[in-house]
Amino acid sequence: MDVNGTVAVITGGASGIGFGIASALARRSAKVVLADIEAERALAAAEVLRGQGLEATSCYLDVIDPASWDATADVAFGHWDQAPQLLFNNAGVGGGTTVHETPERIWDWVFSVNIRGVYLGVKTFAPRMLESGLPGRIVNTASEHALGLPPNLRGGIVAPYTAAKHAVMGYSLCMRRDFEGTSLSAGVICPGVVQSDIWNAFRNRHDTFGGPRSLERPGPHPMAHGLPAATAGERIADQVETDEFFIFTNGPDEAEVLETFTIEANAAMAAFRQRYGV
Ligand code: NAI
């Protein structure tokens, strides 16, 4: 899909991968809406892009709140008086520990933001995008965690995060099916490790789930070993322009997870079929 001249909404657009996507799209002459729970940071990020002569605006969005989604849609459809053709459900948070030690409120927060947020975005935007008649694409940011299980040394032991990202993958596959024959299509981004502030995601935890907590500390950036978010954004924009469903950022990280999962699952299936002769 040619992004030139389109309106693109990016949730979590104030930081990390979201800002990388927004910058890459804006450089390709898209008009970008940075929608984020960190409204001031989104405002500043949009100003940075406008300072480069690019078209950008921002708005407050809490992806778990339907009313906030409606307000975001009004900004997105109204700001340039043009229907958005791209929605990136990218906002996400990381947290949790093992399957049996994760507290309920962390489980609920991670699932609310990472999958309910995606569902609400689609529920709010898809009908209005379809009504516009313009070709459109809704792309969800899942993770390499959606392709299997990354080694624990990469991304830590975050059971609810992994489970929620598998849900994002399942929902994205359903979107691809359900949009078939319409003006919409779907995509799913499965990033490996990318430089961002996700390690400090608790800064945005809602009061209902235990409230905000900053993990900021002096020293080197905890994700400095990751792929620069600007590079991830460019690669994502390339793959959106060639209409890929599966969208990757790093390569080796995602391939390792996918191969480990498929080799094991295929071997288990082969053994099962042999056992029962089916
Ligand atoms: P980040 O923390 O830098 O950016 C996340 C953005 O989402 C922030 O701007 C934050 O304010 C916003 N946000 C958080 N809660 C929100 C809410 N309730 N409503 C609206 N906005 C909210 O982190 P990053 O890494 O850029 O995360 C973007 C997406 O990429 C997430 O879905 C994450 O799970 C995914 N991802 C990141 C990887 C990485 O290595 N950085 C790897 C795989 C996936």
Side-chain angles (χ1 to χ4, degrees):
M1 177 173 169
D2 185 3
V3 303
N4 185 342
T6 59
V7 172
V9 181
I10 303 103
T11 75
S15 173
I17 296 174
F19 185 64
I21 296 171
S23 308
L25 294 175
R27 275 196 294 275
R28 294 165 198 226
S29 301
K31 303 161 188 171
V32 297
V33 183
L34 311 185
D36 205 291
I37 200 166
E38 294 186 344
E40 284 186 16
R41 195 170 171 187
L43 188 75
E47 269 169 19
V48 167
L49 296 180
R50 283 198 300 273
Q52 297 167 8
L54 307 173
E55 292 200 75
T57 190
S58 69
C59 65
Y60 169 82
L61 168 68
D62 178 358
V63 295
I64 73 171
D65 173 23
S68 161
W69 269 110
D70 287 338
T72 297
D74 289 343
V75 171
F77 280 81
H79 190 76
W80 288 283
D81 200 18
Q82 181 183 336
Q85 288 172 263
L86 287 163
L87 169 65
F88 289 84
N89 281 313
N90 167 77
V93 294
T97 57
T98 64
V99 290
H100 57 298
E101 289 165 321
T102 297
E104 270 176 56
R105 61 189 186 179
I106 293 183
W107 181 275
D108 290 343
W109 172 58
V110 170
F111 264 77
S112 292
V113 175
N114 290 1
I115 181 64
R116 177 180 153 89
V118 170
Y119 153 72
L120 287 177
V122 174
K123 184 171 178 287
T124 309
F125 270 77
R128 291 181 69 172
M129 288 171 78
L130 286 166
E131 203 182 325
S132 79
L134 296 173
R137 205 164 161 72
I138 302 183
V139 180
N140 304 324
T141 305
S143 168
E144 60 172 348
H145 283 253
L147 302 170
L149 181 67
N152 286 335
L153 289 177
R154 189 163 76 227
I157 300 174
V158 282
Y161 182 79
T162 306
K165 291 300 186 178
H166 276 260
V168 174
M169 175 61 74
Y171 191 69
S172 305
L173 288 163
C174 294
M175 284 165 57
R176 179 169 66 168
R177 178 199 61 200
D178 295 350
F179 291 159
E180 221 176 278
T182 76
S183 55
L184 287 183
S185 62
V188 62
I189 310 172
C190 305
V193 180
V194 175
Q195 287 171 20
S196 80
D197 287 343
I198 197 163
W199 63 278
N200 195 19
F202 278 77
R203 69 192 187 278
N204 289 316
R205 189 169 54 162
H206 308 73
D207 289 337
T208 30
F209 301 118
R213 180 158 59 92
S214 177
L215 303 178
E216 260 178 90
R217 56 180 182 269
H221 192 281
M223 295 182 75
H225 61 292
L227 184 76
T231 308
E234 287 295 339
R235 291 178 179 177
I236 290 165
D238 289 342
Q239 294 165 85
V240 167
E241 292 210 292
T242 54
D243 294 332
E244 313 301 334
F245 175 70
F246 292 107
I247 296 174
F248 302 108
T249 57
N250 300 34
D253 289 6
E254 299 99 301
E256 180 191 20
V257 179
L258 188 58
E259 279 165 18
T260 307
F261 182 76
T262 48
I263 287 169
E264 186 187 354
N266 283 333
M269 177 51 77
F272 171 83
R273 295 188 69 174
Q274 193 179 25
R275 180 175 189 167
Y276 292 104
V278 290

